[in-house]
Amino acid sequence: MPEHDAERAFRRFFDDHHTDLSRLAYLVTGETQVADDLASDAFVEVWKHWERVRAADSPIAYARGIVTNLARQWIRRQTRERAGMLRLGLLRRDRGETDTPAILDVRAALARLPLRRRECVVLRYAFDVPEKEVAAILGISVGAVKSHTSRGAAQLSEFLREMPPATGGGHHG
């Protein structure tokens, strides 16, 4: 394929999917700026392997796989760094915001899920990705996707029931 056609196809792919890939990264990491960076990094990888991506059964699934892998790596780095800072007493465990809207409650509850469950729940429910495609993106079986999604959704629901109301109206009996 001529280089010009490849660039045009990549630009169209970028325009069509950048927002969704950034949102996926945000829902997995919980960090807006990081999500934009991870989406950009994913598109660099997509471009490097553009012929392979275009030839894939689902180019967007390929790109989602890159985003989830980058997000997983970022979370692991943050976890190691945070643990080191806590050990050194350089980080406090307090939460400043008490009157958060419901969307922040969902974000906090998502952040409490184990990473694999979070990835499955986000891909299945926020992006409506079919189980088979989630399995391909994450490199796990369809059965594992079903299990992680089911358990993750139940756990998420439990976390949300445990949270105090976001309106700050106090606890009523």
Side-chain angles (χ1 to χ4, degrees), residues 34 70 121 138 144 154 163:
V34 169
L70 290 172
V121 167
L138 300 178
M163 290 184 161

Side-chain angles (χ1 to χ4, degrees), residues 6 26 31 73 83 173:
Y26 170 73
E31 299 287 337
Q73 292 166 8

Side-chain angles (χ1 to χ4, degrees), residues 24 28 64-72 119 123 137-138:
L24 171 60
V28 173
R64 284 177 177 148
I66 293 171
V67 168
T68 56
N69 284 333
L70 290 172
R72 191 177 304 122
E119 291 168 339
L123 287 166
I137 289 168
L138 300 178

Side-chain angles (χ1 to χ4, degrees), residues 84-148:
M85 290 197 293
L86 280 169
R87 279 194 302 274
L88 294 172
L90 300 175
L91 192 64
R92 293 198 176 96
R93 292 184 186 259
D94 60 332
R95 301 250 166 155
E97 303 163 0
T98 54
D99 244 358
T100 55
I103 192 72
L104 293 181
D105 287 350
V106 172
R107 179 179 154 195
L110 269 173
R112 290 177 62 191
L113 289 178
L115 181 58
R116 185 63 79 191
R117 287 183 188 174
R118 183 181 338 147
E119 291 168 339
C120 288
V121 167
V122 166
L123 287 166
R124 289 287 297 127
Y125 295 117
F127 290 89
D128 200 27
V129 175
E131 289 169 340
K132 186 176 178 183
E133 191 175 324
V134 173
I137 289 168
L138 300 178
I140 59 177
S141 70
V142 172
V145 169
K146 289 178 180 181
S147 174
H148 286 304

